[in-house]
Amino acid sequence: MSLRSYSTTELDGDAAGPGPGSSVVYTMGQKKNQHQHQHQHQQHHDHDPLRAEKVFLSGALSGAVSRTATAPVDRLKMLLQTHDEAKGLSLRQGWQKMMAEGSIKSFFKGNGANVVKIAPETALKLTLNDAIRSLLAQDPDHVRVRERMASGGIAGAIAQGLLYPLDTIRTRLAVSPPGTYAGILHAAYRIRRDEGVFAFYRGILPSMIGILPFAGVDIALFEVFKDHLYERYDGPPPHIAIVAAGMLSSSIAQVVSYPLALVRTRLQAQASHQRGPDGSLALGQLKYQGMMDVFQKTLQHEGVRGLYKGLLPNLLKLAPAAGIGWFVFEETKLALGVDPRS
C-alpha cells in the first residue's frame, strides 16, 4: 500500500496515525531519506570547485560536434532564408547550388566560423544557465519550469550578445559568392574596412528578442523531459531517449522563434559582396533599414510563409544537431563527474 492510497482525512492531524511498521510510515521514511540523499547530493556538486569548468567544457564539445555534423543543412537553410524572391529556392535547387560550387568544402562553407562561435557560445550559455538557475531557484531540488525558462533565456541572450559578430561572419561566409572571403579573419577585416564596426551587429535586435524564448523554451523543456526520463527509468535513461528529448525541445523552441531568426539572417547577409556582370566584386546595396522593415517587406512580397522560409531544412538540421548536442553535453558531464540530474 502506498502513501497516496490514504485519504487526506486519514493523513491529517485529526485522524489516528498509522501504527509502527505500517507501509505508510515506511513509504514516508523512504521519501524522506530519498529527499535527504538528493539534497546532500546536490550540495556535494554545488561545492565542486571545478563544476563551472566541467560544464563549460561539456558545452563547448557539444556545440562543436553537433554543428559540424549538420553543417551542410545549416548552409542550405541560410541560402533559403536569404533568397528573398517570392517564388524562393526549393530544397533541391539550394542543394544543387552548393554542389555546383564543385567541392565537398562548399557544403561546409562557413562551418569554421560556426564552430568558433557555437562552441564558446554553447559553453557560455550552459555554464551561465547552471549558475543563474541556482540563484533563481527557490528550491534547488525542485526547480520550477518558469525558473528554468528565465535562467535559460537570460543565459542565451548574454552568450549570443557577446559572440554576435562571429555569427555575422559565419552568415557572410555561408551566403557570399565563392572567392569573396578567404576565411574568418579576412571576412572580419573586409567587413570592418568596408562597412564599419556596426555591420557586425546588424540584426542583433531580432536576435536578442528571439533568443529569449528560444533558449528559455529549449533548456526548460529539455530539463523537464530529462527529469521525467530519470523518474520513468529509475536511473539513467537510454541514450536514444536523451537524443529524442533534445530533438523535441529544440524543435518546439525553433518554431516559436523562427521568424525572428529569419529577420536576423537577412539583416546580417545584406551588403555582402556580389559579383557584377563584368566579373568584379562590388559591395551590395542595403536592402533593409532595420527589423521592422524586413518584416514589412517580407510580408508584402512573400506573405506570411516568407517568414518561415528555410524552416524545414532548419528543423532537419536543428533536430539532430540538438539531439546530438544535448547527448554529448550530458555524456561529457557524466564522464567528468558532474551529476547528470543537477
Side-chain angles (χ1 to χ4, degrees):
M1 184 180 296
S2 67
L3 177 61
R4 292 181 180 177
S5 64
Y6 281 78
S7 67
T8 55
T9 303
E10 290 173 304
L11 294 177
D12 65 19
D14 294 334
S22 72
S23 59
V24 174
V25 173
Y26 177 74
T27 305
M28 291 175 66
Q30 266 192 327
K31 288 186 176 291
K32 182 178 180 181
N33 291 336
Q34 184 181 19
H35 178 75
Q36 288 176 342
H37 174 72
Q38 288 177 345
H39 184 66
Q40 290 170 357
H41 201 49
Q42 178 71 32
Q43 286 183 325
H44 170 74
H45 285 284
D46 283 346
H47 288 88
D48 182 354
L50 296 177
R51 178 180 174 87
E53 288 81 357
K54 291 175 180 177
V55 173
F56 188 91
L57 178 60
S58 301
L61 186 60
S62 72
V65 171
S66 64
R67 290 311 173 97
T68 300
T70 56
V73 186
D74 188 46
R75 190 185 175 210
L76 176 60
K77 175 207 71 174
M78 283 189 287
L79 289 175
L80 294 178
Q81 284 182 329
T82 55
H83 189 82
D84 56 2
E85 296 178 8
K87 184 178 180 181
L89 282 175
S90 66
L91 290 175
R92 182 179 180 180
Q93 289 171 331
W95 193 261
Q96 289 175 338
K97 183 175 182 179
M98 291 192 295
M99 291 184 64
E101 294 178 10
S103 170
I104 190 66
K105 291 182 180 179
S106 67
F107 291 92
F108 293 87
K109 191 176 178 183
N111 187 58
N114 201 12
V115 171
V116 169
K117 170 189 178 287
I118 290 299
E121 181 181 313
T122 304
L124 186 58
K125 176 180 68 176
L126 294 174
T127 305
L128 286 173
N129 174 68
D130 193 61
I132 295 171
R133 185 183 59 211
S134 66
L135 294 174
L136 295 181
Q138 294 183 357
D139 181 358
D141 293 326
H142 301 88
V143 185
R144 292 176 290 186
V145 174
R146 62 174 176 269
E147 294 168 340
R148 297 181 191 273
M149 290 187 66
S151 63
I154 294 170
I158 294 173
Q160 183 161 278
L162 290 175
L163 296 166
Y164 191 81
L166 283 170
D167 194 37
T168 299
I169 293 171
R170 173 191 68 120
T171 301
R172 292 293 183 88
L173 289 171
V175 303
S176 298
T180 302
Y181 303 113
I184 298 172
L185 294 179
H186 184 236
Y189 168 74
R190 290 282 295 270
I191 294 171
R192 169 66 179 83
R193 185 194 68 183
D194 298 336
E195 305 171 52
V197 174
F198 288 110
F200 290 106
Y201 294 92
R202 287 197 185 110
I204 193 169
L205 180 58
S207 181
M208 297 301 285
I209 295 174
I211 195 62
L212 289 170
F214 175 77
V217 171
D218 181 25
I219 291 175
L221 284 180
F222 176 76
E223 291 179 347
V224 169
F225 293 157
K226 185 179 72 170
D227 286 348
H228 284 308
L229 287 172
Y230 270 88
E231 290 175 4
R232 176 178 178 182
Y233 290 96
D234 194 24
H239 292 165
I240 190 63
I242 291 293
V243 173
M247 292 173 66
L248 182 58
S249 64
S250 291
S251 296
I252 294 172
Q254 185 65 26
V255 172
V256 170
S257 60
Y258 190 80
L260 287 163
L262 179 135
V263 170
R264 175 200 65 198
T265 302
R266 289 193 171 184
L267 287 171
Q268 288 176 328
Q270 68 175 347
S272 60
H273 289 77
Q274 300 173 355
R275 195 172 298 278
D278 59 352
S280 62
L281 289 174
L283 198 63
Q285 296 296 316
L286 289 178
K287 188 173 297 183
Y288 305 110
Q289 301 306 312
M291 180 178 72
M292 297 310 298
D293 191 37
V294 180
F295 271 116
Q296 182 180 356
K297 288 179 177 177
T298 300
L299 289 171
Q300 180 180 353
H301 298 295
E302 305 167 60
V304 175
R305 293 183 62 182
L307 295 174
Y308 291 90
K309 272 187 175 177
L311 176 60
L312 179 57
N314 195 54
L315 288 176
L316 291 175
K317 181 267 303 188
L318 180 76
I324 293 169
W326 279 118
F327 172 73
V328 172
F329 178 66
E330 293 297 322
E331 288 297 305
T332 307
K333 280 200 309 178
L334 187 62
L336 294 175
V338 179
D339 181 8
R341 299 199 67 172
S342 66

